[in-house]
Amino acid sequence: MTLLNHLSEGPASAPPLLLGPSLGTSYALWDHVAPELSTGHRVVRWDLPGHGGSAADLIGPGATVGDLAGLVLALADSLGVERFAYAGVSLGGAVGLHLAVHHPERISSLAVVCSSAHFNGAKMWEERAKAVRAEGLGKLAEGADARWFTPGFTVPRLVRDHRDADPGAYAACCDALAAFDLRDRLGAITAPTLLIAGREDPATPPAHLREIADAVAGATLTELPGASHLAPAERPEAVLTALRAHFDGDARRGMAVRREVLGDAHVDRAQGLQTPFTARFQDFISRYAWGEIWTDETLSRRERSMITLTALVAHGHYEELAMHVRAARRNGLTPDEIGAVLLQTAVYCGVPAANSAFAAAQRVLAEEDGAGG
């Protein structure tokens, strides 16, 4: 099967995030957002059929948003991605809504950017599809700036993508927009949902995003001043900030795991000592160490504790070792099992290192016994 053209960025082991484009653009729409998101995600941005590098014959006349969603799922499957976060602009946002309604098991989190649950009825899109099939995209592309951006702003690459798109595939995408209306299904969306509206957007004004926010339980709405229809291109910093806050639940989840493993007293103490200088480091620990690594179910917490104890002995981090001996007890290791781990380190990390490790662990276990007595 021919797949949608796409670009993957970020670590393959990071949580997957798929980014969908708007009608007439390519994945270049995300050029100033995707690289930043890829520091913590496996970002996959894709092109619509007949746009960018995607084959035009992936869809035909009478196409639906469901057809496009099927192509996105086929792409995800080919990459070995079962469940993913998703953000899309305009038509790309409609694809995200369809996935969240019809394939909720695939969507972990959703962001709908400058989009809608309907696109003002079929007539306008039917007329546009007819005109494009007859005349091509040259004339329509001349008005792209007015439809996409606030006055005086442009992105030549995106306008060029519009002009170069395949007319037949573009018209088929118009058919999909003409038939799209999910207003009566929005209440079925269970994925955490963010709506981003451009305050100056004439195509999908903020009222369209408010309609979705009112219907989806727990949804959040962000309105961006100075942004029109292609907000990721015109206000990339603001869009990036909103998406990070929404998708990086790893920090919140990580803090919960950090407390479960290390205990409230330790975490409260660390947080109490936090300064503006160390704040980003504390966030890094919560987001990556605890929010991604310790939440990975491939290894149990018992196993992670044993690995962590060994690594700390190897590097001589005995203060951290004491903390993780307590964590190991919290994760279910017995004193005998902790002793066995440290004895193993004597073979591979050296007797002097293991000697110091036994002393540190002995103090922690003695304190525990004293507290219990």
Side-chain angles (χ1 to χ4, degrees), residues 245-257:
H246 180 62
F247 288 131
D248 287 355
D250 295 334
R252 294 187 297 274
R253 187 166 62 248
M255 182 58 75
V257 173

Side-chain angles (χ1 to χ4, degrees), residues 40-65:
H41 298 270
R42 179 189 183 185
V43 174
V44 180
R45 34 180 171 149
W46 53 273
D47 284 332
L48 287 163
H51 295 62
S54 284
D57 61 2
L58 286 169
I59 57 171
T64 66
V65 170

Side-chain angles (χ1 to χ4, degrees), residues 56-334:
D57 61 2
L58 286 169
I59 57 171
T64 66
V65 170
D67 294 332
L68 294 171
L71 292 171
V72 171
L73 290 180
L75 172 61
D77 291 343
S78 75
L79 297 172
V81 172
E82 177 62 28
R83 188 167 167 82
F84 51 89
Y86 182 92
V89 181
S90 195
L91 178 53
V95 170
L97 288 170
H98 180 96
L99 289 169
V101 167
H102 295 284
H103 302 277
E105 74 285 355
R106 303 298 296 268
I107 302 297
S108 60
S109 190
L110 173 67
V112 179
V113 184
C114 300
S115 188
S116 182
H118 66 99
F119 289 84
N120 297 312
K123 184 178 179 181
M124 178 186 75
W125 296 107
E126 290 169 350
E127 291 176 349
R128 184 182 292 190
K130 182 178 179 181
V132 168
R133 286 183 173 114
E135 304 169 9
L137 284 162
K139 184 176 179 181
L140 194 61
E142 291 176 4
D145 283 345
R147 297 194 310 275
W148 288 349
F149 306 118
T150 57
F153 188 88
T154 187
V155 180
R157 162 72 188 275
L158 295 179
V159 176
R160 185 170 66 252
D161 286 337
H162 189 342
R163 186 177 296 107
D164 293 343
D166 179 83
Y170 183 101
C173 288
C174 290
D175 293 341
L177 288 168
F180 183 72
D181 191 338
L182 274 184
R183 282 176 287 186
D184 63 344
R185 301 293 304 277
L186 293 174
I189 294 176
T190 57
T193 301
L194 168 69
L195 295 314
I196 299 178
R199 220 171 261 175
E200 314 301 322
D201 183 358
T204 52
H208 284 238
L209 284 302
R210 282 197 292 271
E211 184 177 38
I212 302 171
D214 289 343
V216 177
T220 301
L221 172 64
T222 296
E223 294 187 19
L224 303 182
S228 186
H229 192 52
L230 300 189
E234 189 163 16
R235 293 291 313 280
E237 297 87 357
V239 171
L240 177 62
T241 297
L243 292 181
R244 271 185 168 159
H246 180 62
F247 288 131
D248 287 355
D250 295 334
R252 294 187 297 274
R253 187 166 62 248
M255 182 58 75
V257 173
R258 189 179 179 188
R259 287 184 177 279
E260 290 170 9
V261 174
L262 299 182
D264 287 334
H266 171 83
V267 176
D268 287 342
R269 187 162 56 251
Q271 293 294 98
L273 295 172
Q274 180 175 297
T275 68
F277 180 69
T278 64
R280 289 186 65 187
F281 178 65
Q282 290 294 319
D283 178 71
F284 170 83
I285 293 171
S286 294
R287 190 181 308 279
Y288 295 104
W290 297 103
E292 291 188 17
I293 303 304
W294 277 85
T295 54
D296 182 351
E297 296 180 359
T298 307
L299 298 176
S300 69
R301 289 189 185 176
R302 281 173 49 85
E303 291 167 327
R304 291 190 184 282
S305 276
M306 289 189 279
I307 293 167
T308 302
L309 292 175
T310 303
L312 291 172
V313 174
H315 286 276
H317 300 311
Y318 300 116
E319 287 187 15
E320 290 272 324
L321 177 69
M323 176 181 72
H324 276 279
V325 168
R326 297 184 186 95
R329 295 289 287 129
R330 209 172 274 110
N331 284 338
L333 289 177
T334 66

Side-chain angles (χ1 to χ4, degrees), residues 8-17 34-44 81 288 292:
S8 296
E9 299 163 280
S13 60
L17 167 60
E36 294 294 331
L37 290 174
S38 71
T39 60
H41 298 270
R42 179 189 183 185
V43 174
V44 180
V81 172
Y288 295 104
E292 291 188 17

Side-chain angles (χ1 to χ4, degrees), residues 338-355:
I338 292 171
V341 170
L342 298 184
L343 191 60
Q344 184 88 0
T345 67
V347 177
Y348 294 98
C349 302
V351 170
N355 186 47

